[in-house]
Amino acid sequence: MLRETAERVAREYELGAVVAAPVYAARGELGLIWRLDTERGSWAVKESLIEVAEEDADADVRFQGAAAAAGVVLPAPVRDRHGRVILRARPHDLRVYAWADLAAGEITAAQLGEAAARIHRVRHAARGPVGPWFAAPLGRAAWHEVARISRGREWADALDARLADLIAVEDVVRPPDPAEVTTCHRDLNEENLRLSTGGVLTVLDWENCGPAVPAWELAALVARDGEVYRAYVAAGGPARVTRPEDFSMRVAAQAHLLEFYARRATGGQESEENRSRARARLREMLAEPLTKERISAILEGLRDHHAHPVGHHPQPDRGA
């Protein structure tokens, strides 16, 4: 980010005078993060690699405000002097958050479950229906197109070996019940959850939040580690995972992500950095995708938890 861009950001968001050149801090799938120091403090400036409508950004900031009011710790989003979230700029649009000092170290499954419970307890009204990315299967024809563009690539054999399972697991996907839909984070994972340097659990990257079924978001987390579920229930999370269709969001997102990465990895207009990141994601996802068999095994493990919930310890049979 150029110095003149940083000064424009500081002016539009009323951050005070810039006191140092912006510093590149991190890279995500959809954007770059810069640290900007001004006389008013330190700020995270996010440079978006995709275009986002102002009304969508406004909606996610409103959800962040509701979550913060309910006790969820997150970097505070900043609006500009006109009340807007996004600053239209070249080459990419920008938005600003308060800077959060984060500690090194891994997040545990228990912490992930606790964070999900806190967010789901917010119960922020959804803005519209659940989008296809989170609720619609890719479909057999599209899967075979993904296989076609992957031929000869380093992940092609892994995709071919998993293709039948990836198509079959889409049978579990069902349309969401509108009565169950609320606003969810939709990108909650170990990478977007960190401890602050003061030891406070902090949730990051809210730009992808929107309408979803809490049980479906929970199922996506449980698919990673069953300990998430136990911690979620213990923390007062309202959702429960009991049926194969609760994995609809995880299955749909898995399919659309694999298609997205396959197209990015083979895209002639993509940067080598983007293609390399996409290839790494494909290898990671195809190593252990969610299948019908895995869903059955997860649900079987959860049945024991439902039979003996947190805090309940069945007494042995002492006889007559």
Side-chain angles (χ1 to χ4, degrees):
M1 184 168 59
L2 299 175
R3 178 68 180 241
E4 55 261 39
T5 302
E7 290 176 348
R8 183 186 172 202
V9 168
R11 183 171 61 253
E12 293 297 326
Y13 289 88
E14 301 181 304
L15 306 180
V18 175
V19 298
V23 177
Y24 177 72
R27 157 74 199 258
E29 290 299 329
L30 301 178
L32 313 176
I33 301 174
W34 301 81
R35 175 171 174 152
L36 178 61
D37 293 320
T38 74
E39 62 184 4
R40 284 189 52 207
S42 298
W43 315 91
V45 180
K46 289 200 170 186
E47 183 178 353
S48 178
L49 299 180
I50 62 170
E51 186 172 344
V52 178
E54 174 65 27
E55 55 266 32
D56 292 333
D58 179 78
D60 78 57
V61 165
R62 290 179 185 277
F63 179 43
Q64 291 176 69
V72 178
V73 177
L74 52 92
V78 182
R79 293 181 183 270
D80 73 10
R81 57 197 174 98
H82 302 292
R84 293 186 295 254
V85 176
I86 295 176
L87 177 64
R88 302 301 178 188
R90 293 184 179 180
H92 304 118
D93 295 338
L94 305 168
R95 59 192 296 175
V96 177
Y97 288 85
W99 182 263
D101 287 315
L102 304 173
E106 295 184 358
I107 290 297
T108 66
Q111 289 168 327
L112 188 56
E114 178 187 347
R118 290 181 183 178
I119 294 171
H120 288 174
R121 292 202 307 266
V122 176
R123 298 183 184 276
H124 188 71
R127 176 176 169 265
V130 182
W133 184 282
F134 301 101
L138 190 60
R140 182 178 296 272
W143 273 118
H144 284 291
E145 176 61 14
V146 172
R148 185 192 68 79
I149 66 173
S150 298
R151 286 176 193 150
R153 308 287 181 165
E154 62 187 77
W155 66 89
D157 287 347
L159 177 60
D160 287 344
R162 297 290 195 177
L163 189 59
D165 287 336
L166 290 168
I167 293 172
V169 75
E170 292 194 327
D171 289 345
V172 308
V173 178
R174 297 289 185 273
D177 180 348
E180 298 178 351
V181 174
T182 185
T183 307
C184 293
H185 186 282
R186 301 199 307 193
D187 196 21
L188 193 59
N189 54 53
E190 296 86 346
E191 295 177 3
N192 292 335
L193 186 66
R194 300 282 296 278
L195 289 176
S196 71
T197 51
V200 179
L201 201 60
T202 305
V203 185
L204 310 173
D205 289 351
W206 294 75
E207 292 84 3
N208 203 36
C209 68
V213 177
W216 291 12
E217 180 167 65
L218 177 59
L221 301 176
V222 171
R224 294 185 176 94
D225 191 327
E227 180 60 30
V228 171
Y229 194 77
R230 289 182 283 275
Y232 177 92
V233 173
R240 297 293 182 268
V241 177
T242 59
R243 308 166 298 174
E245 51 264 43
D246 288 334
F247 291 85
S248 292
M249 177 175 166
R250 177 69 173 82
V251 171
Q254 170 179 266
H256 293 295
L257 274 172
L258 283 168
E259 180 189 40
F260 170 80
Y261 288 132
R263 293 192 181 281
R264 172 172 276 189
T266 57
Q269 303 302 313
E270 295 285 350
S271 68
E272 178 51 36
E273 180 185 14
N274 280 347
R275 289 195 296 269
S276 177
R277 288 174 65 90
R279 291 193 296 268
R281 292 294 193 182
L282 285 164
R283 289 193 298 270
E284 176 186 332
M285 292 181 68
L286 290 170
E288 193 178 8
L290 190 63
T291 63
K292 282 185 173 181
E293 289 72 22
R294 276 192 65 201
I295 289 173
S296 295
I298 293 167
L299 288 173
E300 185 61 33
L302 293 183
R303 285 189 189 99
D304 181 64
H305 174 85
H306 292 142
H308 308 299
V310 173
H312 174 72
H313 304 284
Q315 298 297 313
D317 183 2
R318 300 183 185 278

